[in-house]
Amino acid sequence: LCGHHYPVGAYYRLSLILDKGTFRELNAPLASNNPLDFPGYEAKLDGARRRTGMNEAVVTAAGRIGGQRVAVGALDSRFFGEESCRRILMEHFKVGALVGLGLEKVTLLVEYADKYKLPLILFSASGGARMQEGILSLMQMAKTSAALERFSQKGGLYISVLTHPTTGGVTASFASLGDIMLAEPGALIGFAGPRVIEQTIGEKLPEGFQSAEYLLEHGFLDAIVPRDALRATLLHLLKLHGKGGDAHGK
């Protein structure tokens, strides 16, 4: 075995942390299209939807963890992705104008958490924006980050959980903005690939500098949490920060 967590789908990931029977999906119909008429893109989207049973690479929901009300979202790398235990094929890990419309779902989730005074938890897993959707995809990075800034200014609690892999524009935007930064063991976390960085700065980089363990050692993360301990850790953090949501949220 490779020693890393195997990838799981967004629905299953959320089922691991939410109280049974409390999951309520938000904005499920939102889905990417083909705004640039990119050749063959619609067929790829249709194939991804049939294969995963999902409309898009992002699932957002309201629910409870140990009775504590939360707004949660998870990116699913399977939607446009393939992973092997030994090799990450980064060119396949993409989320679209849901890092277009996909990140529109994240923005709407942040606004939902703000409206009902709920703590926000986001699970990241991505290689970046889909170039097939052009600027409509890339602009969502800034839009999501701006929504999080407004949420933070009003005192909202945001817990960011980085899973394997979290790279590209997702890392450069909302994934790195958590008040509390958690990661799964062995997660690959970074913006650009090692060769691109080395060629840009003209220096040799340390071995494993984009691993969760390296980033924890250098202060980017607050903790590395194994998957079987994540629910208990999140509940502890929610209780510690006293963010259970108002009495009238839905």
Side-chain angles (χ1 to χ4, degrees):
L1 296 178
C2 62
H4 297 303
H5 288 311
Y6 286 106
V8 297
Y11 289 107
Y12 182 66
R13 183 179 292 281
L14 295 181
S15 76
L16 295 175
I17 66 161
L18 293 177
D19 297 349
K20 186 177 181 180
T22 67
F23 172 89
R24 182 168 66 86
E25 188 167 0
L26 303 173
N27 300 304
L30 280 180
S32 293
N33 51 25
N34 189 12
L36 303 183
D37 292 326
F38 197 91
Y41 186 46
E42 291 181 11
K44 289 185 177 181
L45 286 172
D46 289 340
R49 289 168 183 146
R50 288 194 301 270
R51 185 175 64 255
T52 63
M54 301 172 60
N55 280 335
E56 250 299 342
V58 183
V59 175
T60 59
R64 294 179 182 268
I65 300 177
Q68 300 284 322
R69 296 178 55 252
V70 295
V72 294
L75 278 66
D76 193 327
S77 60
R78 301 172 312 142
F79 189 80
F80 248 42
E82 297 174 4
E83 179 172 41
S84 125
C85 205
R86 297 184 179 181
R87 181 183 177 191
I88 304 302
L89 305 177
M90 291 307 302
E91 66 271 23
H92 291 296
F93 280 98
K94 305 295 180 183
V95 288
L98 245 129
V99 176
L101 274 179
L103 286 198
E104 180 68 16
K105 290 178 71 173
V106 174
T107 300
L108 292 172
L109 180 69
V110 176
E111 293 173 347
Y112 180 92
D114 186 13
K115 179 178 180 180
Y116 293 113
K117 310 303 180 190
L118 300 176
L120 173 69
I121 303 170
L122 288 174
F123 293 85
S124 300
S126 171
R130 294 185 197 142
M131 295 302 97
Q132 297 97 327
E133 298 177 20
I135 195 64
L136 293 176
S137 178
L138 295 176
M139 66 184 286
Q140 292 295 339
M141 301 295 179
K143 184 175 181 179
T144 304
S145 298
L148 282 168
E149 173 62 18
R150 294 191 295 270
F151 180 67
S152 178
Q153 288 296 321
K154 294 180 181 178
L157 172 66
Y158 169 32
I159 302 174
S160 180
V161 185
L162 310 182
T163 72
H164 180 68
T166 297
T167 60
V170 170
T171 305
S173 57
F174 70 91
S176 299
L177 297 178
D179 300 301
I180 300 172
M181 300 287 295
L182 307 178
E184 290 189 334
L188 174 67
I189 302 166
F191 178 57
R195 286 183 296 178
V196 173
I197 299 173
E198 289 180 350
Q199 291 170 4
T200 300
I201 67 176
E203 297 181 14
K204 183 67 177 176
L205 297 166
E207 185 70 25
F209 77 101
Q210 291 180 316
S211 69
E213 289 72 16
Y214 183 94
L215 294 175
L216 176 65
E217 182 180 345
H218 289 79
F220 182 76
L221 298 174
D222 295 302
I224 294 175
V225 185
R227 195 172 288 169
D228 60 359
L230 188 55
R231 175 181 158 88
T233 299
L234 291 172
L235 179 56
H236 177 72
L237 290 171
L238 292 171
K239 290 182 175 179
L240 181 65
H241 289 269
K243 298 288 185 178
D246 65 20
H248 302 291
K250 296 181 181 180

